[in-house]
Amino acid sequence: MAEHEDCVSIPEFSNLLQTDSNLQKYENDFRRRYELLKKQLFLLEEAEGGVDQFTRSYRSFGVQRLPDNSLFFKEWAPAAEALFLTGDFNGWDKFAHPYSKKEFGKWELILPPKPDNSPAVDHYTKLKVVVHTKEGKRLYRISPWAKYVTREEKSVIYDWVHWDPPKPYVHVHPRPKKPMSLRIYEAHVGIGSPEPKVASYTNFTHNVLPRIKELGYNCIQLMAIMEHAYYASFGYQITSFFAASSRFGTPEELKELIDVAHSMGIVVLLDVVHSHASKNTEDGLNAFDGSDSCFFHSPPRGEHSLWDSRLFNYASWEVLRFLLSNLRWWMEEYCFDGFRFDGVTSMLYHHHGIGTGFTGDYSEYFGLQVDEESVTYLMLSNHILHSLYPDCITIAEDVSGMPALCRRVEEGGMGFDYRLAMAIPDKWIQILKELKDEEWDMGNIVFTLTNRRYGEKCIAYAESHDQALVGDKTLAFWLMDKEMYTNMSALIPMSPIIDRGMQLHKMIRLLTHGLGGEGYLNFMGNEFGHPEWLDFPREGNNQSYHYARRQFNLVETDHLRYRQLYSFDRDMNRTEDKYGWLAAPPAYISAKHEGDKVIVFDRANVLFIFNFHPSKSFQDYRVGVEAPGKYKIKLDSDMLQYGGHGRLDHNTDFFTEPQPLNGRSNSMLVNISNITLWHI
């Protein structure tokens, strides 16, 4: 493997250069990254018998029940002097069950079965690893591989609970095929009910899944599943990487949720946080063996100054084992269909994106500021996931715009399927905050929605959980503010604020859906203009659940206008399902008229017409279109059932004329109210 750098060949590197010749200058960076990946794969083959075995280390670490009902325990604690196992099974004796020391910092222990041949540790009983440090300290730890941890009502610290149910859940339904068009419903189980409490996996299965199906989403992105001690962290300070959060229920109930989603043809992605970990020691990974490193870099490199959390050492063999096995575990044990990788920007650069504005200059993406250990880890993750699960979906949360992030590893890319188009929601918020309606710049809006790397897929969204969190405001709130509490009844005429807000809420979503990417994302509740932000119980709000819930009951009330927004969102997704514009090449924009405030584009044989003018509708407005023939209205935001004014006649057919306009071969005369979709 000691090839000279220039000799490493990336199998399909020419594909990447064909789409962006500016990358030629950084050819050596790509070759070096690819060489690091090849080297890692070669070493895995040599030392561990290949990727498959290495990434299934959850079958040998932590606790395993052997065929004869003996229990085998294994941990990696390189800095420890001695390890013991204690728990309910031995009356919490701290010295009765020592691990024996193996090479490379490993520790092992075998517990023979009880006289009745049942395992020595019963299902649902507590355990602890006792770590003796070289300095003579005694620490109580949870195994990093723990599959279930719970917290007693009054306690602050989580307990490791042995999870070995007599009847494990068996998945019945096969994984659905990878959707051509990804329509993602970003969801948090705990806020999935209108009641002021932590909602359960079972509630989600019975009450939220049917709603997601009805709305036409074919993918769920589940947040805050990996166990986190602090509920208000929104799941970002992970303490137990292999444990599904027990505050929502049991592992078996989460498996059922995913199985039922699969039965509906919906794929489920896990929001995976491998960018950092909680600083907690007693119930987290931090200082597991008593040292300041173990899974992490020693400080300062191993600490994130803004997030107050620990940073993984991706060059460490055992960290790779842990994290890659973690990805496999969620795919195999729970049957997730892929991952949204959180905090990728922080991983890619030594500066973690702190205090750095990315201008798009290519020099920002290469050179010494790039953390190539992290880059190799991400390439390795994507390579392994896509090799083992061809339908697996991976999405990167990266704000920097790193080139080739979403190109295949074989081309020299990092292998992600999609990246989040993070500039789009920022643009909408900026417009609503700073501009009067007549100041909206059609060209600037279109530029933001279409400004993405050619050949790299994007997930577009008008708002995600980030915009819903306390301190910010949802789009519905920016648009309608406190009138949402008083004037959303359909039994009274719309006030000017509600009228404007309703129309723009629909238009912003559909314009983002149609123009912004190759996938679309919505955060739960925002599809119907959820009236409040999201704020978890914490000291600052007297531990209130008032804002940590989603008021789906508002949609059930027929006379509230939330139902009209819900219906539009549903029909927008169903229309995409029929015509498939997300899976089509980027749109052709034929008009962005600043005076009329009109945007016209076609994509997947669908003609989109948007009128953002604050006061004017247009009669006999000529628009360019490529395919000749007869057009019909397929979706109209001005329909009465969507809270519109019903100004357009849907029975009319519109015929093109061979009169070229705005770069299109044909054109036709149309009437425009807000937004309409026309199909030939």
Side-chain angles (χ1 to χ4, degrees), residues 223-452:
M223 321 288 292
I225 293 296
M226 300 164 80
E227 191 59 272
H228 46 295
Y230 185 43
Y231 190 42
S233 76
F234 205 74
Y236 287 126
Q237 298 271 346
I238 307 294
T239 44
S240 289
F241 282 74
F242 285 82
S245 182
S246 60
R247 53 171 66 79
F248 311 132
T250 67
E252 311 313 296
E253 287 162 347
L254 174 57
K255 289 173 190 176
E256 184 189 15
L257 185 166
I258 293 167
D259 202 19
V260 173
H262 287 169
S263 78
M264 298 174 169
I266 298 172
V267 296
V268 189
L269 307 182
L270 175 71
D271 190 57
V272 74
V273 187
H274 281 182
S275 45
H276 63 130
S278 165
K279 265 191 173 167
N280 288 16
T281 53
E282 280 190 69
D283 54 7
L285 277 186
N286 192 15
F288 173 67
D289 63 357
S291 73
D292 69 357
S293 50
C294 199
F295 288 92
F296 310 108
H297 286 290
S298 295
R301 188 177 173 188
E303 289 183 333
H304 195 294
S305 58
L306 285 188
W307 296 345
D308 194 32
S309 53
R310 297 301 316 261
L311 298 172
F312 287 105
N313 175 1
Y314 302 104
S316 156
W317 192 260
E318 292 304 321
V319 171
L320 284 182
R321 180 195 305 283
F322 182 77
L323 293 176
L324 293 171
S325 297
N326 191 232
L327 296 173
R328 281 298 302 271
W329 164 255
W330 293 107
M331 293 293 287
E332 289 287 325
E333 185 72 14
Y334 287 92
C335 293
F336 276 98
D337 301 287
F339 302 96
R340 178 258 202 188
F341 279 73
D342 172 71
V344 168
T345 308
S346 171
M347 296 171 75
L348 292 175
Y349 308 96
H350 290 294
H351 54 62
H352 308 301
I354 298 171
T356 311
F358 291 93
T359 63
D361 187 302
Y362 278 26
S363 63
E364 296 166 346
Y365 306 122
F366 302 97
L368 295 177
Q369 65 265 44
V370 175
D371 187 336
E372 293 198 332
E373 292 169 3
S374 302
V375 169
T376 307
Y377 168 67
L378 292 171
M379 290 173 79
L380 201 54
S381 299
N382 279 312
H383 170 72
I384 290 169
L385 286 169
H386 289 103
S387 305
L388 294 167
Y389 313 98
D391 271 355
C392 175
I393 299 164
T394 59
I395 301 172
E397 186 206 24
D398 168 44
V399 76
S400 76
M402 167 70 82
L405 187 71
C406 302
R407 297 294 295 220
R408 287 171 29 253
V409 168
E410 295 74 15
E411 299 177 337
M414 276 184 230
F416 284 98
D417 295 296
Y418 299 89
R419 57 156 36 102
L420 292 172
M422 298 177 77
I424 296 174
D426 292 348
K427 173 55 67 178
W428 286 124
I429 297 275
Q430 182 223 334
I431 288 171
L432 294 177
K433 247 182 179 170
E434 298 173 10
L435 301 179
K436 297 193 184 93
D437 289 0
E438 54 273 18
E439 295 170 347
W440 285 33
D441 181 333
M442 299 297 107
N444 184 251
I445 292 170
V446 166
F447 174 77
T448 303
L449 285 163
T450 54
N451 179 26
R452 52 189 184 270

Side-chain angles (χ1 to χ4, degrees), residues 1 3 8 31-39:
M1 284 306 292
E3 296 171 282
V8 187
R31 291 194 187 284
R32 189 172 58 255
R33 291 173 188 180
Y34 194 75
E35 183 180 27
L36 290 168
L37 171 76
K38 269 174 68 173
K39 186 175 165 193

Side-chain angles (χ1 to χ4, degrees), residues 521-549:
L521 176 142
N522 163 67
F523 179 63
M524 69 188 303
N526 287 357
E527 70 277 3
F528 63 84
H530 196 278
E532 280 153 357
W533 61 36
L534 183 59
D535 187 16
F536 289 92
R538 56 190 171 84
E539 270 180 31
N541 65 15
N542 295 324
Q543 303 299 334
S544 165
Y545 283 92
H546 183 74
Y547 296 108
R549 60 197 178 108

Side-chain angles (χ1 to χ4, degrees), residues 5 20 57 71 79 96 146 203 309 326 357 397 440 475 512-513 575 602:
E5 179 172 270
D20 188 353
S57 292
L71 292 176
N203 164 71
S309 53
N326 191 232
E397 186 206 24
W440 285 33
L475 287 182
T512 304
H513 206 305
T575 309
D602 50 278

Side-chain angles (χ1 to χ4, degrees), residues 598-649:
V598 167
I599 295 171
V600 183
F601 62 87
D602 50 278
R603 188 176 183 189
N605 277 338
V606 180
L607 179 68
F608 293 75
I609 307 173
F610 290 80
N611 171 22
F612 280 99
H613 200 286
S615 57
K616 270 195 212 166
S617 289
F618 297 97
Q619 300 291 316
D620 293 337
Y621 196 91
R622 188 168 288 280
V623 294
V625 61
E626 194 53 38
K630 177 175 79 172
Y631 281 75
K632 268 191 123 44
I633 298 174
K634 295 295 177 183
L635 183 67
D636 169 14
S637 71
D638 198 38
M639 286 174 76
L640 296 172
Q641 71 245 44
Y642 307 141
H645 299 279
R647 287 171 286 211
L648 295 181
D649 178 3

